[in-house]
Amino acid sequence: QQLSKIIPTDTYYVDIYDPAEEALDVRVLIDDGQRFHPQRIPLGHGLASLVIRQRRPLLCRQLSKEQATLPVTPIVLGQARQSESWLGVPMMVSDHVMGLLAVASYQPNAFTEDDVALLTNVAGQAALALDNAYHHAQVEEQARRDSLTGIYNHGYLLQRLTELVEAGRENKTPVSLIMMDIDYFKNYNDTYGHVLGDDVLRLTVQAIQAHVKKTDLVGRWG
């Protein structure tokens, strides 16, 4: 919304970089007044990948003439026609790339160096906001986790279980709960000590997590 006020053009992108998957999540794509569904693009495809890899702005004034000289092939997102002007800048915090902001136009020579500076400034502010949101989410996630095993703690497990039961009731779908206990665990702690007892808990959790689906929840009850 802010970009549309300061850089009136046809297309707006907000892409989030996922370094673990080497991919870009196109979270916001508005083209010719229409908002499109989020999508995922492997790094190496499209102009956005070039911005992420080079960590600097990219300005294409007339793609129909320039694309033959580019090291990547532009891809069409949104409406089924290629833009003529394209400007993308990375969202960075220190040396860490968070993603990019990009704008595009179906008219050639739509953007100037002033637009590059303006979009770079906006991207810097957006990167800080995004970084703060990530840190906030990490703190919240840590509060939900058992410090020893890394799985969900008792309180959050009960919360999620309640939510899943309610969702199952509304959707008329089953919810399954499996509870396990380690036999003679007190004797093990008394004989070998709590340090090795902690190792038993961690190894047990690893075994469970290796044999459940990613969508399953694993938590510590006691």
Side-chain angles (χ1 to χ4, degrees), residues 166-199:
E166 287 297 322
R169 183 178 291 117
E170 290 180 8
N171 301 325
K172 294 182 171 56
T173 54
V175 177
S176 299
L177 172 65
I178 300 173
M179 297 190 68
M180 300 173 62
D181 195 20
I182 302 175
D183 289 342
Y184 311 114
F185 187 55
K186 182 179 184 305
N187 292 343
Y188 194 95
N189 275 330
D190 291 344
T191 304
Y192 300 105
H194 287 275
V195 173
L196 286 179
D198 289 348
D199 287 339

